[in-house]
Amino acid sequence: DQQVKQNSPSLSVQEGRISILNCDYTNSMFDYFLWYKKYPAEGPTFLISISSIKDKNEDGRFTVFLNKSAKHLSLHIVPSQPGDSAVYFCAASDTGGFKTIFGAGTRLFVKA
Amino acid sequence: DSGVTQTPKHLITATGQRVTLRCSPRSGDLSVYWYQQSLDQGLQFLIQYYNGEERAKGNILERFSAQQFPDLHSELNLSSLELGDSALYFCASSVSGQGENEQFFGPGTRLTVL
């Protein structure tokens, strides 16, 4: 039972354009969402998060949008840079809970 | 560098064997998580410890066990290994283990079962 789904295994974007990575979840108990970025041969690193009391959170070139009614969130990267090429994992948890459920990841390629 | 260390980096062993993976959390973090990443799969949550106590369990097989020691380092024991256990095993740590806490990941241990 995949509670967090990233339906696009990969995404290719031109440098300077917008990258949009999508994530859907099924468990309505989730109220905190995180994005992690992973380069080859390294562990994932935290990128940005959002609480369910917000619908948008921005950090530099990275913005996460949350649509609770659709149980959908997205990560926007603007402008995309070649160094953004990595695997991006969406993760969900319930605050006060202890499990964090990760999606399968989306591999982003940013072409120079 | 996340501050989380994992040893060994690579491990090659045979089916039926037993191995131990080790993790040292970031200084000050009380919670440790273990994840398994098989080929082209996401991060499968295995188990979480907080200050020496098991706090949450995910899809961890009965052949696998873990513990967190008083110095907060953790070990993941995998026994009766099968070919399908070949994967990257990540350890992560966080301050309190709550869902909203950022997790800091180690570089992973790549296990190959032949």
Side-chain angles (χ1 to χ4, degrees), chain B residues 59-80:
Chain B
N59 300 323
I60 187 166
L61 299 172
E62 285 198 13
R63 300 183 284 108
F64 295 2
S65 65
Q67 54 183 325
Q68 186 180 28
F69 295 87
D71 67 352
L72 301 177
H73 92 271
S74 177
E75 292 180 358
L76 178 67
N77 300 296
L78 315 176
S79 61
S80 302

Side-chain angles (χ1 to χ4, degrees), chain A residues 18-55:
Chain A
I18 184 171
S19 296
I20 300 176
L21 295 92
N22 294 304
C23 177
D24 298 293
Y25 61 96
T26 57
N27 190 336
S28 56
M29 295 295 292
F30 290 145
D31 58 4
Y32 202 81
F33 305 90
L34 310 95
W35 285 92
Y36 287 82
K37 176 177 172 178
K38 185 183 179 304
Y39 292 118
E42 295 181 12
T45 54
F46 171 75
L47 190 58
I48 192 170
S49 62
I50 187 166
S51 161
S52 61
I53 61 172
K54 293 184 172 183
D55 54 19

Side-chain angles (χ1 to χ4, degrees), chain B residues 34-73:
Chain B
W34 286 98
Y35 293 89
Q36 180 193 56
Q37 185 183 22
S38 302
L39 193 63
D40 291 334
Q41 299 289 311
L43 293 161
Q44 298 295 318
F45 169 70
L46 296 178
I47 198 163
Q48 182 200 3
Y49 283 83
Y50 175 78
N51 206 19
E53 299 290 325
E54 181 184 308
R55 182 172 263 188
K57 221 168 189 175
N59 300 323
I60 187 166
L61 299 172
E62 285 198 13
R63 300 183 284 108
F64 295 2
S65 65
Q67 54 183 325
Q68 186 180 28
F69 295 87
D71 67 352
L72 301 177
H73 92 271

Side-chain angles (χ1 to χ4, degrees), chain A residues 32 34 36 38 41-47 49 87 89 92-105 107, chain B residues 33 35 37 40-45 48 55-58 88 90 96-108:
Chain A
Y32 202 81
L34 310 95
Y36 287 82
K38 185 183 179 304
E42 295 181 12
T45 54
F46 171 75
L47 190 58
S49 62
V87 176
F89 290 101
S93 67
D94 60 283
T95 51
F98 309 121
K99 286 186 191 180
T100 301
I101 306 299
F102 283 78
R107 187 177 298 273
Chain B
Y33 308 74
Y35 293 89
Q37 185 183 22
D40 291 334
Q41 299 289 311
L43 293 161
Q44 298 295 318
F45 169 70
Q48 182 200 3
R55 182 172 263 188
K57 221 168 189 175
L88 259 174
F90 287 104
S96 70
Q98 299 292 326
E100 66 272 27
N101 287 162
E102 170 187 350
Q103 293 178 32
F104 295 85
F105 283 79

